Amino acid sequence: MKLSRDRVRFGLAVFGLSALAGFLLSACSDDKPAAGSSPSASSSSSSSAPSSTAPIPTASTPSLTPLPTPSKPWPTPKVTGEPAGDAPLASRITFAISKQAQIAAGKSATTTVKCPGIDKVETAGNHELTCTVTYAGKSYSGTLTVDAKQYSASYKFTSPSVAIVRAKVVDAVQRSVADAAKVTCTMDDVAVVKTADAGIACDVTTTANAVQPYKAQVSGNGQVLVAKA
C-alpha cells in the first residue's frame, strides 16, 4: 500500500507540471499573436481608394447662328383710298394724315382720322384743330393747323406720339447689331410711343450667347434710331 501511494503522488506531481507548462505556453501565445492574424497599417493604407486629381468638366456655351442682315430698306407701305384732287379739303387733309401715320408705323392698316371742325377749314383764315388718329386700334392725338386762302391752303399736323409696328423696330435693331442672333423688344405688335421718351427697350442675344440691352428711339416720321443702353 505504501508503494502504491508513492506512485499516486508521483503521478499527481507529473500531472501538475504538465498543466503548468500548458498554462505558460498559452500565456506566451496571447502576448504574441500569430503572424497574419491582423492587417498591418501599411497594408490597410495601401488598400484604400486612390485620390483623383482630374478636373471637373464644365458645360460648354453653344454659339448661336447670326440673323441675316437685311439687304433692303424697310419697305414703304402702299396706302390706298386717296381722294380725287377736287375732293373737299377736309377729305384730302385727313387722308394725308392717315397716309403719313401708316408710313411711319411701317405697315398699311385700318386708320381713321377725326378732327372736329375740319369741315370749316376751307374758310379763309388760320385754323387750329385737335385730331385723333387711330391706327390698327391704337389711338393718339395731335394738332392740325390750316392756313386757308381763297384758292389755296397749307396745313401741318404735329403730334408728340407716333404708332409703330414691332417688326419695324426689330428690323432696325437687327441692322445696327452685326452679331445679333436674337432680338426681343418690350412692346406689343403695334405700339404708340412718345418721341420724347427714352425709347423702346430691346435685348439682343449675340452669337456668343450674351445678352446686351439696346434702346430704339422712334421719331415723328417713323425713323428708328438704335443705341446701346
Side-chain angles (χ1 to χ4, degrees):
M1 293 295 295
K2 183 178 180 180
L3 180 58
S4 299
R5 285 196 295 270
D6 291 339
R7 288 178 179 177
V8 170
R9 292 191 190 99
F10 176 76
L12 291 173
V14 171
F15 175 78
L17 290 173
S18 300
L20 178 61
F23 174 76
L24 292 175
L25 288 173
S26 176
C28 291
S29 64
D30 288 342
D31 291 341
K32 190 175 181 180
S37 61
S38 62
S40 64
S42 60
S43 63
S44 175
S45 62
S46 63
S47 63
S48 61
S51 60
S52 175
T53 58
I56 300 174
T58 57
S60 59
T61 302
S63 57
L64 303 179
T65 303
L67 294 171
T69 302
S71 59
K72 297 180 180 180
W74 183 262
T76 301
K78 183 178 180 181
V79 181
T80 60
E82 183 175 5
D86 58 351
L89 180 61
S91 299
R92 287 179 280 149
I93 291 176
T94 54
F95 174 80
I97 296 174
S98 172
K99 180 178 180 180
Q100 180 55 38
Q102 294 178 66
I103 292 175
K107 184 179 180 180
S108 59
T110 301
T111 306
T112 60
V113 179
K114 293 183 179 181
C115 307
I118 196 171
D119 55 330
K120 297 184 175 70
V121 295
E122 292 194 20
T123 304
N126 293 319
H127 307 270
E128 184 174 301
L129 306 173
T130 298
C131 301
T132 300
V133 180
T134 303
Y135 169 84
K138 301 294 179 98
S139 300
Y140 59 95
S141 60
T143 301
L144 171 65
T145 57
V146 180
D147 182 12
K149 296 181 172 55
Q150 184 175 2
Y151 298 107
S152 65
S154 61
Y155 66 91
K156 182 180 181 181
F157 176 77
T158 58
S159 174
S161 302
V162 64
I164 194 163
V165 297
R166 179 167 55 187
K168 184 177 180 180
V169 177
V170 171
D171 177 84
V173 176
Q174 187 176 331
R175 293 172 187 272
S176 302
V177 185
D179 60 343
K182 182 181 179 181
V183 178
T184 305
C185 295
T186 308
M187 61 179 294
D188 296 332
D189 289 338
V190 177
V192 172
V193 297
K194 290 188 178 297
T195 57
D197 284 350
I200 300 170
C202 296
D203 286 335
V204 174
T205 303
T206 66
T207 53
N209 213 8
V211 179
Q212 298 175 348
Y214 283 81
K215 289 288 185 181
Q217 187 79 35
V218 185
S219 66
N221 62 359
Q223 184 181 5
V224 183
L225 302 176
V226 179
K228 203 165 185 178

